Amino acid sequence: MGVRVVDHALRLALPGRCAFCLAPGVAGQPWCSACFETLPWNLPACPCCAEPQPPGALAGRRCGRCLVEPPGFDRTRAPLRYQGEVAALMRRFKFHASPRAGSVLLALFTARLTLEAPPQALLAVPLHPRRARARGFDQADWLACRLARRLGIVLIRARRRRDTRSQRGLDRRERSRNLRDGFVVDRPLPLRVALVDDVMTTGATLNALAVACRRAGAQDIEAWAMARTPG
């Protein structure tokens, strides 16, 4: 039975159920209180790149890498760590195009989202058109479209200059080289923007997009990811 069929059946048969243990959900959310509390929340983490920090690390302090080599974005919101149930949920969303998994990830992200000065525009990390056609699903664009609609923020699309090789298996420096000058924004941007991706691993992809956004006029740039891969 396909993932889409299973998702549809679950939504019909198990309304208000936790996506992780199928217990009754809390206040209409797709999780129960026990699972929500035990998810791998990304705390403590570097406020700039969201790199998970060891227990006891001072909250709000940038990691050594960001102090020595600041990224192109100013801060990151990545509330979860790519581990355990979150990693399984992400795989169902990214590789099987599961709308239920994507909706749960969005709900978890927005549950921890507080915006004192909301961005004026969202930009998804774009796939190259050839890669998007082959995959049949652009997960970052899917997330960004729904966040933009939910938050009432305009969505602006960037594009890839070339079909870069996959980042999988590359180290931090190789990832940066692979994506250097890899993105372009064809219109002027407002001062405050947020960049949206599903998973942040080293931050190289979001950094490359942030560089393109600064060239287009953005001055305050946030990176938004549903989850952060531990180093």
Side-chain angles (χ1 to χ4, degrees):
M1 185 180 295
V3 172
R4 293 179 185 273
V5 176
V6 172
D7 279 342
H8 182 65
L10 284 172
R11 285 196 298 273
L12 293 177
L14 301 170
R17 292 285 174 171
C18 175
F20 304 101
C21 72
L22 300 184
V26 174
Q29 297 288 8
W31 55 69
C32 67
S33 57
C35 287
F36 187 80
E37 291 170 4
T38 57
L39 287 173
W41 296 105
N42 191 17
L43 295 170
C46 170
C48 183
C49 72
E51 175 82 31
Q53 300 298 296
L58 291 177
R61 178 169 292 185
R62 287 191 172 204
C63 67
R65 183 175 289 111
C66 287
L67 289 172
V68 173
E69 192 176 352
F73 44 83
D74 298 288
R75 56 199 164 275
T76 298
R77 298 175 188 265
L80 295 157
R81 295 184 180 181
Y82 186 74
Q83 296 174 325
E85 293 284 359
V86 171
L89 191 68
M90 187 67 72
R91 286 193 291 270
R92 292 200 296 274
F93 170 62
K94 186 169 184 173
F95 300 114
H96 300 287
S98 166
R100 176 172 169 80
S103 296
V104 174
L105 288 166
L106 276 177
L108 289 168
F109 180 83
T110 54
R112 293 297 176 95
L113 183 65
T114 56
L115 296 174
E116 295 179 1
Q120 297 164 291
L122 299 183
L123 294 92
V125 171
L127 284 176
H128 188 274
R130 188 181 301 112
R131 188 76 56 88
R133 286 193 298 270
R135 183 180 293 180
F137 176 61
D138 187 336
Q139 70 275 3
D141 188 72
W142 191 96
L143 293 167
C145 286
R146 283 152 182 80
L147 280 171
R149 186 165 60 244
R150 187 173 301 185
L151 300 174
I153 300 173
V154 65
L155 179 65
I156 296 175
R157 286 185 166 85
R159 61 181 175 86
R160 287 195 182 234
R161 292 181 184 272
R162 59 189 183 277
D163 190 4
T164 54
R165 61 183 289 203
S166 171
Q167 295 283 76
R168 199 172 303 169
L170 303 182
D171 64 24
R172 184 180 297 273
R173 292 194 179 279
E174 289 170 335
R175 284 170 178 252
S176 295
R177 286 196 297 269
N178 187 41
L179 289 166
R180 187 172 296 138
D181 296 323
F183 300 105
V184 65
V185 181
D186 293 318
R187 54 174 285 187
L189 290 178
L191 297 182
R192 299 190 311 277
V193 303
L195 317 180
V196 180
D197 206 356
D198 54 350
V199 180
M200 185 175 184
T201 303
T202 65
T205 302
L206 287 158
N207 180 72
L209 181 55
V211 170
C213 288
R214 290 203 186 276
R215 290 173 179 162
Q219 295 182 15
D220 186 88
I221 302 174
E222 289 191 349
W224 289 6
M226 305 302 107
R228 180 65 153 89
T229 301

